[in-house]
Amino acid sequence: AQTVTQSQPEMSVQEAETVTLSCTYDTSESDYYLFWYKQPPSRQMILVIRQEAYKQQNATENRFSVNFQKAAKSFSLKISDSQLGDAAMYFCAYRRTGANSKLTFGKGITLSVRP
Amino acid sequence: GAVVSQHPSRVICKSGTSVKIECRSLDFQATTMFWYRQFPKQSLMLMATSNEGSKATYEQGVEKDKFLINHASLTLSTLTVTSAHPEDSSFYICSAAPGQNSYEQYFGPGTRLTVT
């Protein structure tokens, strides 16, 4: 079975600084997807970034980028120039390829941003 | 972008009654919908996967007779919590997957259920 581990329950970052959120996973599959989701206080799940396992290049979306280490099964999220609106819970998630397969989530990390 | 709605957003019901939560994909057809439960400060726990026109697949430990799921059309899935008890109070979230070639799941805004 696939597992996703987020070992840090909470982190804090100063506004405008950079923060990295850690995630590791375990799978026997060779092709899969990895995601970072943001859940603000409204509790609406928002996709931040995704990575296809077959792609070596790390995904980036504006201030968000990932460090995908396939051999180490590590998938960290870097948030640059942190903003107050980045404060939220962040979930790392795994999904194998195949039609409509389910997401496996980590426990999540609560990120606070200090003004 | 793809939009998923849930209704109601909040519901309070008395112990022993049943409550239905709707999940709709507004601008796409969802061959598969997923139902999650989330307690405060915790992760999303998958309850079941529903495919249009077939029976839902429940995760281990989820009572299928208590949490009835119906996926009657490509745009609507419903979760009915039967004979609700206070321990069923939680935040319920659905997500919808468009189809075979999509990696994406689109999440609804969630429903807060309180059982008194």
Side-chain angles (χ1 to χ4, degrees):
Chain A
Q2 294 82 16
T3 58
V4 178
T5 302
Q6 294 178 255
S7 56
Q8 307 154 302
E10 295 179 348
M11 285 196 77
S12 180
V13 63
Q14 189 74 37
E15 193 176 7
E17 297 294 310
T18 295
V19 64
T20 298
L21 310 183
S22 301
C23 173
T24 59
Y25 60 94
D26 190 23
T27 183
S28 59
E29 305 283 338
S30 60
D31 199 14
Y32 47 86
Y33 301 108
L34 295 166
F35 306 85
W36 278 97
Y37 284 91
K38 172 184 178 181
Q39 189 180 42
S42 68
R43 302 190 81 168
Q44 171 72 58
M45 295 290 284
I46 300 166
L47 177 63
V48 175
I49 201 166
R50 77 173 188 279
Q51 174 82 42
E52 290 94 333
Y54 69 88
K55 291 186 177 179
Q56 291 188 330
Q57 187 172 9
N58 289 323
T60 62
E61 287 288 342
N62 300 314
R63 297 184 294 108
F64 299 89
S65 61
V66 299
N67 183 2
F68 173 48
Q69 301 289 328
K70 191 173 184 179
K73 296 181 180 173
S74 171
F75 183 61
S76 60
L77 174 69
K78 185 171 79 172
I79 306 174
S80 304
D81 186 25
S82 297
Q83 301 176 359
L84 295 178
D86 295 333
M89 276 199 83
Y90 286 82
F91 295 98
C92 179
Y94 165 99
R95 177 183 173 273
R96 63 178 178 84
T97 56
N100 301 323
S101 57
K102 63 184 181 183
L103 285 165
T104 300
F105 287 94
K107 288 186 175 182
I109 179 171
T110 300
L111 177 67
S112 58
V113 181
R114 304 186 301 275
Chain B
V3 179
V4 175
S5 69
Q6 277 185 245
H7 178 79
S9 58
R10 291 175 178 264
V11 58
I12 301 173
C13 71
K14 292 189 176 182
S15 188
T17 62
S18 296
V19 61
K20 180 184 287 187
I21 302 170
E22 292 186 348
C23 177
R24 294 183 184 271
S25 56
L26 298 185
D27 50 4
F28 66 98
Q29 292 185 328
T31 55
T32 304
M33 289 185 172
F34 302 87
W35 286 96
Y36 299 86
R37 184 174 181 176
Q38 186 182 32
F39 292 105
K41 300 286 188 181
Q42 294 189 21
S43 188
L44 282 69
M45 182 191 79
L46 180 66
M47 299 174 66
T49 302
S50 75
N51 292 293
E52 186 264 340
S54 62
K55 288 185 178 180
T57 301
Y58 289 82
E59 295 297 301
Q60 191 172 9
V62 177
E63 298 177 62
K64 59 182 179 182
D65 293 332
K66 180 167 187 62
F67 299 100
L68 301 179
I69 292 172
N70 185 289
H71 193 158
S73 76
L74 287 172
T75 59
L76 173 65
S77 177
T78 60
L79 167 66
T80 302
V81 182
T82 63
S83 186
H85 291 285
E87 56 265 32
D88 298 324
S89 298
S90 190
F91 193 69
Y92 292 87
I93 304 174
C94 73
S95 70
Q100 294 191 0
N101 295 323
S102 175
Y103 55 80
E104 185 88 56
Q105 286 183 23
Y106 301 97
F107 286 85
T111 296
R112 180 177 300 283
L113 169 64
T114 303
V115 185
T116 60

